[in-house]
Amino acid sequence: MSTLRRWIPNQHGAWAMLAVPYLAGVLIGSPSWLQLPLFLAWLLGYCAVFHTEQWVRLRRASRNPRAAARHRRPALLFTAATLALGLPLLCAAPWLALAAAAMAPFLAVNVLYARRNRERALVNGLVAVVPACGMLLVALRAGGGTLAEGLAPALACLLYFAGTVPYVKTMIRERNSEAYRRGSVAYHAVALVAAALLDPWLAVPFALYLARAAVLPGRGLGVPLVGAVEVGCSLLLLGFLAGGYG
């Protein structure tokens, strides 16, 4: 069990960001057999990238070689598992190569930030959001949907998950920063307007997201409660997307 805990990334917010856009794409479109192994490959790929980034980061930032070495084996094995599952998927659906190529620059930026030991940087977090939300389009296409059908839901996911980056910082690492708090509230106000323009139906969840960005910072909430609120917000978005576009 201890080995499993070390191998499975403990970035809880990342799991919601990986799952919600993908599941929205499945629910908006038509279920397909391709979506299940694709989702597994997606999760394995995330684990591979996570351990690769930690390996790269700790090799430069840590004076303890063992700290970096413990990420090497999971990085290699998760990469091998991703390729073992991903290559047959590419044969079944060659268009997935275009999706992978589109995500590659964003992953390269994340690795570069990790190499500089700046993986917590605001820009790095925002960059990571893009391919995660883009998976909505991939999952939808795997079920026979079109780009036009998925564009508004994918943008809604992008608006929400991009907002979680500064918001979570106001709750944890930057909880004493008034500038971060103002910036987070300002972003969520703009996101509310943008979401309403995409679809008036989306104004409801985004109004709640704005309220939590304005009210919750400074309340002394613990990390588990902050995470629970974000899980609820993510599921709320999934419900609205499935109900409004499914």
Side-chain angles (χ1 to χ4, degrees):
M1 184 61 71
S2 60
T3 300
L4 182 62
R5 283 199 299 266
R6 289 198 304 269
W7 281 45
I8 301 301
N10 61 354
Q11 306 297 312
H12 303 104
W15 291 107
M17 191 169 67
L18 292 168
V20 167
Y22 195 96
L23 293 175
V26 172
L27 294 173
I28 291 169
S30 301
S32 164
W33 70 268
L34 184 65
Q35 291 165 335
L36 187 57
L38 183 59
F39 188 49
L40 181 56
W42 173 233
L43 297 181
L44 289 170
Y46 164 67
C47 293
V49 170
F50 172 83
H51 284 288
T52 298
E53 289 179 0
Q54 297 308 307
W55 184 13
V56 169
R57 179 179 69 85
L58 291 169
R59 283 182 67 188
R60 289 179 60 86
S62 176
R63 296 181 181 179
N64 181 3
R66 295 183 63 183
R70 69 186 180 88
H71 290 282
R72 182 173 56 211
R73 186 180 179 193
L76 294 172
L77 290 180
F78 277 124
T79 298
T82 303
L83 291 174
L85 191 56
L87 291 176
L89 285 171
L90 282 176
C91 294
W95 59 269
L96 287 172
L98 293 176
M103 292 181 182
F106 298 96
L107 298 179
V109 171
N110 290 150
V111 172
L112 179 61
Y113 269 88
R115 188 171 184 271
R116 294 177 176 177
N117 198 25
R118 296 186 59 211
E119 61 178 339
R120 300 290 184 179
L122 178 64
V123 171
N124 190 49
L126 295 173
V127 167
V129 167
V130 179
C133 294
M135 281 303 291
L136 187 152
L137 301 174
V138 177
L140 181 61
R141 175 68 181 84
T146 65
L147 178 64
E149 293 174 290
L151 187 57
L155 288 174
C157 284
L158 188 61
L159 286 171
Y160 167 67
F161 283 107
T164 66
V165 178
Y167 164 69
V168 171
K169 287 184 180 297
T170 67
M171 300 298 291
I172 304 174
R173 293 179 178 272
E174 301 291 342
R175 57 183 174 272
N176 296 319
S177 172
E178 189 61 30
Y180 254 97
R181 188 180 302 186
R182 282 202 216 89
S184 175
V185 171
Y187 171 84
H188 281 86
V190 173
L192 170 58
V193 174
L197 290 175
L198 285 175
D199 190 333
W201 170 254
L202 293 173
V204 176
F206 277 86
L208 293 174
Y209 302 151
L210 172 59
R212 69 97 157 78
V215 173
L216 295 185
R219 300 280 177 175
L221 275 63
V223 173
L225 186 54
V226 173
V229 170
E230 289 314 290
V231 168
C233 288
S234 299
L235 293 176
L236 180 66
L237 179 63
L238 179 60
F240 269 80
L241 293 178
Y245 295 93

